C-alpha cells in the first residue's frame, strides 16, 4: 500500500471521477496561477485540498475562498502535515527558500519549469544535465520527488480535463525514481481528468521540460 | 451607467512592421507611423491610445511618454496612456514627472497602466535583480500612488533613497492621472490592486475569457475587504478587424503564427496551429473578424466580466501599417458603435464607469 492510499477515511468525492471510496488529500505549496487552478481542479475531483502561500494562511484566505472554494488555506507546514502527496507550485527561483527536510517522506510533485526570463539565470538549473527535478530532489533529499503537472498551461488543467475513456483526453507524464511515488501521482493525474503516462526515471523526466523531446521517452500507458 | 461611460482603447507596442514587399521598416518610421495611427484613432472616435514598454528589437515603445507627447500635440480629445508601464524597473519619481508633464501638455489626458510586465528585459538593462521581482513592484507601486495622491510625500523603502516632505513638479490635481494596475493572472496581483484602491486591467491573450470571472470576483471581494469603493475592471486583448471574417483571418494568421512561433521558442510554449488560432478567434481571446463579429465578441466579454474598459491590441505581429490603419478605422467607425448598441440592448451587470477611475486614484 502506498502512502496516498493509507490516508483513508469514510467519504467519497461528491464530484469528478472519484470512483474510489476513502478520503483523498492533496497538499499544494504555492497559491499562484497554477496552485489555485490545481486546487480548484482537485476539489472538483473529490480531494480535500490544503493550499499555502509564502506567508500566513490569512494572507491567501480570500484568494482560496474565491478561486478554489472548498480548498483550505493553511501554512506550508500545515500543508505538509495535511497530505502525503504535495505539489510544489512556487516560482522555480524560490524553491531554494524552503527548508531541505520540509517534505521528508512525502510524495513531492515538482510542477515547476525553469524559465530564465522570469526566474533569472540560475547556473545550477541551467546546467542541470539530468533535468531540473534532479536539482529539486537534491535540495529535498528526503522527499520522493516526481516530475509532473508541468506540461500544460495552468488554465489547461481546467479546460482539458476529461472523464476516463474520452477520445480527446490529454496525457500527462510523471517521472520519478520512487516507483510507488510515481504510481501515487499517476492516480492523481487520472482523477484530475487526464491520462497518466509513466515517463520513466527522474532523469528521464528531463524530456518533460519545455525544451525536452518527448521522443526521448518510451511512453507506457500505466492504467 | 450608460454605455457612453465605457472606455474603448487601442493598445500598441509599436511593433516593427513590414512593408508591402515583406521587409521590416526602420524603427524611426515605426514611431512616426504610431503617431499617425493615434491621430486616426482620435478622428474615428476611439477613447484612448495606449503604448507598451519593451526593450527588444521588435518593439519601438521603450520611451512611450515621448511618443505620447508627440501625439498630444496632434490631438485634442483622445486619452493617452500606457499598456503597460513596467513599474518594477522605473523610478516612480521620474515616471511621475513624465506623466504629470504629459498630463499638462495634453490638457489632462494622461493615464497609466502599471504592471510587472511579462517580459523581463528591463531588469538587466537598468541594473535590477530579477530575484526582487515581487518586492520591487510592491515598493514602487506604493511610492507612485503616494506621489499621485498625496504630496508632499514622506516615504522610505529598500530600493531607493527616502523622501522627506517632498513635492515633485509639475503638480497635478489630486488623483488626476487614472492609474490602473495591469494583471496577467496572478491572484496576488489582483488582491494587491484592490489593496491599493487601483482599478484593475486584466491582460488576457489566450484562452476562454470567462475563466477570468473568478478573478473579477476576487477583485471585488478584496476591494470590499480593504474598505475600498467599487472600482472599474478593464481588459486588454489582441485582435484585428477587416471588412469580412475571411479577410481578417487570412491577413492576421501568418503574422500571428510568426509572432507566436518566436514566443514559443523563447518561452517553451507550443507553436500555434491554424486550428488553435481559429478556436481562439471563435471562443478564446482573439478578437479577429468583421466589425460585426468582433463587436459581438467584445459585447460578450464585457457582459461576462462586467467590464468598464476594453483595450484592443490592434494587429498581432508585423502586420503592415496600412492594414493597421484599416483596422483602426473599422474599430472606431463600426465596432465601437455596434458594441455600444449591443450593450444598450442587453446591458451588462452594473459596472463602475472607467471615468470614475480618475476620481479614485
Amino acid at each position: 500500500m502506498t502512502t496516498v492510499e493509507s490516508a483513508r477515511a469514510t467519504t467519497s468525492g461528491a464530484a469528478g471521477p472519484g470512483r474510489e471510496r476513502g478520503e483523498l488529500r492533496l497538499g499544494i505549496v504555492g497559491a499562484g496561477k497554477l496552485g489555485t487552478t490545481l486546487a480548484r481542479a482537485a476539489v472538483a475531483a473529490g480531494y480535500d485540498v490544503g493550499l499555502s502561500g509564502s506567508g500566513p494562511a490569512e494572507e491567501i484566505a480570500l484568494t482560496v475562498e474565491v478561486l478554489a472554494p472548498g480548498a483550505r488555506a493553511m501554512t506550508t507546514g500545515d500543508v505538509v502535515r495535511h497530505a502525503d502527496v504535495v505539489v510544489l507550485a512556487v516560482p522555480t527561483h524560490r524553491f531554494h527558500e524552503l527548508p531541505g527536510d520540509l517534505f521528508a517522506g512525502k510524495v513531492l510533485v515538482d510542477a515547476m519549469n525553469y524559465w530564465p526570463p522570469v526566474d533569472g539565470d540560475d547556473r545550477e538549473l541551467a546546467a542541470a544535465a539530468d533535468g531540473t527535478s534532479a536539482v529539486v530532489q537534491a535540495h529535498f533529499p528526503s522527499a520522493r520527488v516526481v516530475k509532473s503537472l508541468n506540461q500544460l498551461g495552468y488554465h489547461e488543467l481546467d479546460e482539458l480535463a476529461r472523464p476516463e475513456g474520452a477520445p480527446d483526453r490529454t496525457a500527462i507524464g510523471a517521472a520519478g525514481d520512487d516507483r510507488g511515488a510515481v504510481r501515487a501521482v499517476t492516480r492523481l493525474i487520472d482523477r484530475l481528468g487526464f491520462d497518466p503516462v509513466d515517463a520513466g526515471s527522474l532523469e528521464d523526466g528531463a524530456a518533460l521540460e519545455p525544451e525536452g523531446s518527448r521522443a526521448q521517452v518510451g511512453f507506457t500507458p500505466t492504467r | 451607467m450608460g454605455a457612453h461611460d465605457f472606455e474603448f482603447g487601442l493598445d500598441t507596442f509599436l511593433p516593427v512592421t513590414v512593408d508591402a514587399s515583406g521587409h521590416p521598416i526602420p524603427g524611426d518610421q515605426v514611431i512616426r507611423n504610431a503617431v499617425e495611427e493615434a491621430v486616426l484613432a482620435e478622428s474615428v472616435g476611439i477613447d484612448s491610445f495606449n503604448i507598451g514598454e519593451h526593450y527588444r528589437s521588435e518593439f519601438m515603445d521603450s520611451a512611450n511618454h515621448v511618443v505620447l507627447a508627440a501625439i498630444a500635440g496632434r490631438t485634442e480629445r483622445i486619452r493617452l496612456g500606457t499598456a503597460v508601464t513596467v513599474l518594477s524597473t522605473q523610478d516612480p519619481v521620474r515616471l511621475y514627472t513624465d506623466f504629470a508633464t504629459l498630463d499638462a501638455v495634453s490638457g489632462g489626458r494622461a493615464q497609466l497602466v502599471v504592471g510587472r510586465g511579462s517580459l523581463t528585459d528591463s531588469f538587466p538593462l537598468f541594473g535590477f535583480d530579477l530575484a526582487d521581482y515581487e518586492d520591487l513592484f510592491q515598493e514602487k507601486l506604493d511610492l507612485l500612488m503616494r506621489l499621485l495622491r498625496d504630496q508632499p510625500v514622506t516615504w522610505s523603502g529598500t530600493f531607493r533613497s527616502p523622501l522627506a516632505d517632498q513635492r515633485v513638479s509639475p503638480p497635478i490635481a489630486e488623483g488626476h492621472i487614472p492609474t490602473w494596475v495591469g494583471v496577467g493572472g496572478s491572484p496576488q496581483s489582483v488582491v494587491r490592486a484592490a489593496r491599493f484602491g487601483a482599478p484593475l486591467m486584466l491582460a488576457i491573450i489566450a484562452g476562454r475569457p470567462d475563466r477570468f470571472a473568478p478573478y473579477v470576483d476576487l477583485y471585488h471581494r478584496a476591494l470590499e475587504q480593504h474598505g475600498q469603493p467599487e472600482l472599474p475592471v478593464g481588459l486588454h486583448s489582441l485582435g484585428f478587424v477587416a471588412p469580412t471574417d475571411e479577410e481578417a483571418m487570412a491577413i492576421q494568421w501568418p503574422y500571428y503564427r510568426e509572432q507566436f512561433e518566436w514566443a514559443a521558442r523563447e518561452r517553451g510554449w507550443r507553436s500555434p496551429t491554424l486550428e488553435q488560432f481559429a478556436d481562439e478567434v471563435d471562443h478564446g481571446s482573439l478578437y479577429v473578424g468583421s466589425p460585426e463579429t468582433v463587436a459581438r465578441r467584445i459585447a460578450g466579454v464585457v457582459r461576462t466580466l462586467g467590464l468598464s474598459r476594453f483595450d484592443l491590441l490592434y494587429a498581432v505581429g508585423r502586420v503592415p501599417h496600412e492594414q493597421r490603419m484599416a483596422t483602426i478605422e473599422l474599430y472606431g467607425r463600426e465596432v465601437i458603435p455596434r458594441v455600444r448598441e449591443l450593450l444598450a440592448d442587453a446591458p451588462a451587470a452594473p459596472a463602475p464607469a472607467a471615468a470614475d477611475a480618475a476620481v479614485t486614484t
Side-chain angles (χ1 to χ4, degrees):
Chain A
M1 175 176 280
T2 63
T3 48
V4 73
E5 286 166 327
S6 65
R8 61 176 305 280
T10 50
T11 54
S12 67
R19 294 174 306 279
E20 289 133 77
R21 297 207 162 271
E23 186 181 7
L24 301 167
R25 289 170 168 242
L26 183 68
I28 301 172
V29 175
K33 300 179 208 185
L34 175 62
T36 54
T37 306
L38 186 60
R40 185 164 61 244
V43 167
Y47 282 87
D48 178 2
V49 179
L51 182 63
S52 68
S54 54
E58 306 86 75
E59 220 165 73
I60 59 161
L62 181 64
T63 297
V64 174
E65 186 189 328
V66 176
L67 297 186
R72 288 188 276 159
M74 36 181 93
T75 62
T76 297
D78 285 340
V79 163
V80 175
R81 282 183 282 278
H82 172 74
D84 293 318
V85 177
V86 178
V87 180
L88 191 55
V90 302
T92 311
H93 62 275
R94 312 223 28 194
F95 78 84
H96 296 104
E97 296 167 19
L98 297 167
D101 59 354
L102 183 62
F103 303 108
K106 302 288 178 175
V107 175
L108 183 63
V109 183
D110 174 12
M112 304 179 295
N113 287 307
Y114 170 52
W115 179 35
V118 156
D119 294 313
D121 290 319
D122 182 309
R123 275 188 209 156
E124 196 183 7
L125 291 173
D130 298 338
T132 54
S133 290
V135 179
V136 174
Q137 177 73 77
H139 183 73
F140 302 109
S142 51
R144 307 160 70 196
V145 174
V146 176
K147 185 184 201 69
S148 192
L149 300 177
N150 66 316
Q151 302 136 53
L152 298 178
Y154 70 97
H155 57 93
E156 291 172 322
L157 288 167
D158 263 347
E159 293 169 1
L160 299 181
R162 300 284 185 277
E164 193 182 343
D168 60 343
R169 208 181 197 215
T170 301
I172 294 181
D177 295 336
D178 182 321
R179 305 315 293 166
V182 171
R183 279 194 296 279
V185 176
T186 59
R187 281 191 293 277
L188 168 67
I189 292 168
D190 186 31
R191 289 182 184 114
L192 290 173
F194 297 87
D195 277 339
V197 173
D198 185 337
S201 69
L202 203 57
E203 191 180 325
D204 291 336
L208 301 175
E209 290 174 7
E211 299 294 317
S213 158
R214 269 147 292 199
Q216 294 168 13
V217 180
F219 274 178
T220 317
T222 53
R223 285 177 306 105
Chain B
M1 80 178 220
H4 61 280
D5 294 320
F6 197 94
E7 177 175 328
F8 289 97
L10 282 176
D11 291 353
T12 176
F13 301 164
L14 275 59
V16 173
T17 56
V18 292
D19 60 21
S21 60
H23 294 105
I25 66 170
D28 60 323
Q29 187 63 52
V30 170
I31 292 169
R32 288 190 296 276
N33 285 352
V35 175
E36 297 308 321
E37 290 169 11
V39 169
L40 174 64
E42 170 163 287
S43 75
V44 297
I46 293 162
D47 298 321
S48 71
F49 193 85
N50 310 283
I51 303 181
E53 180 191 333
H54 297 81
Y55 301 90
R56 46 177 56 200
S57 58
E58 71 246 46
F59 300 122
M60 294 294 114
D61 57 352
S62 59
N64 51 29
H65 59 291
V66 179
V67 186
L68 292 168
I71 295 167
R74 298 272 311 273
T75 55
E76 288 171 358
R77 182 199 52 81
I78 196 165
R79 298 197 65 86
L80 303 169
T82 58
V84 306
T85 294
V86 185
L87 183 58
S88 310
T89 54
Q90 289 262 7
D91 179 345
V93 176
R94 171 57 75 198
L95 185 66
Y96 172 84
T97 62
D98 287 343
F99 280 80
T101 304
L102 175 67
D103 201 53
V105 296
S106 66
R109 292 186 280 144
Q111 60 184 17
L112 284 164
V113 180
V114 298
R116 299 186 300 182
S118 78
L119 299 175
T120 51
D121 309 275
S122 61
F123 282 76
L125 193 58
F126 294 111
F128 290 98
D129 187 345
L130 260 176
D132 299 324
Y133 188 76
E134 271 292 320
D135 298 337
L136 278 168
F137 185 75
Q138 173 81 17
E139 174 169 319
K140 287 170 183 245
L141 183 60
D142 179 52
L143 177 54
L144 178 67
M145 289 305 193
R146 296 283 307 279
L147 290 163
L148 288 166
R149 290 170 172 174
D150 194 19
Q151 292 196 29
V153 171
T154 298
W155 180 94
S156 66
T158 312
F159 297 104
R160 56 149 296 141
S161 51
L163 299 173
D165 207 24
Q166 183 72 52
R167 288 187 185 276
V168 182
S169 296
I172 55 168
E174 189 190 331
H176 199 263
I177 299 177
T179 301
W180 302 58
V181 169
V183 167
S186 150
Q188 288 90 334
S189 297
V190 171
V191 172
R192 177 168 40 217
R195 201 167 62 236
F196 278 98
L200 182 72
M201 196 71 188
L202 294 167
I204 311 183
I205 62 165
R208 298 179 64 97
D210 56 359
R211 73 192 159 84
F212 277 75
Y215 284 79
V216 174
D217 190 24
L218 175 63
Y219 176 65
H220 292 306
R221 294 278 305 276
L223 282 173
E224 198 180 317
Q225 195 177 69
H226 290 98
Q228 300 283 358
E230 275 300 293
L231 291 170
V233 176
L235 173 65
H236 154 101
S237 282
L238 283 44
F240 183 77
V241 193
T244 66
D245 289 345
E246 293 71 24
E247 257 177 279
M249 296 280 286
I251 295 169
Q252 180 61 86
W253 162 242
Y255 296 106
Y256 178 90
R257 181 178 56 194
E258 178 184 72
Q259 182 79 21
F260 277 76
E261 272 172 357
W262 288 337
R265 272 201 293 278
E266 182 174 325
R267 303 194 182 196
W269 296 347
R270 277 159 289 175
S271 288
T273 63
L274 180 57
E275 190 190 4
Q276 284 164 347
F277 174 74
D279 188 61
E280 279 291 344
V281 169
D282 288 342
H283 311 289
S285 290
L286 276 180
Y287 298 81
V288 172
S290 68
E292 178 67 19
T293 297
V294 171
R296 287 192 173 278
R297 298 243 30 240
I298 294 175
V301 75
V302 166
R303 285 195 205 97
T304 304
L305 297 180
L307 301 175
S308 302
R309 172 177 176 184
F310 181 90
D311 280 17
L312 181 74
L313 181 120
Y314 57 103
V316 183
R318 306 194 295 164
V319 175
H321 173 59
E322 293 68 30
Q323 284 159 333
R324 293 169 63 83
M325 294 289 271
T327 274
I328 292 169
E329 180 117 25
L330 290 171
Y331 181 63
R333 289 196 195 283
E334 298 187 33
V335 175
I336 293 173
R338 183 65 181 132
V339 177
R340 291 192 199 283
E341 211 172 82
L342 290 166
L343 292 177
D345 288 349
D356 290 351
V359 194
T360 49
T361 57

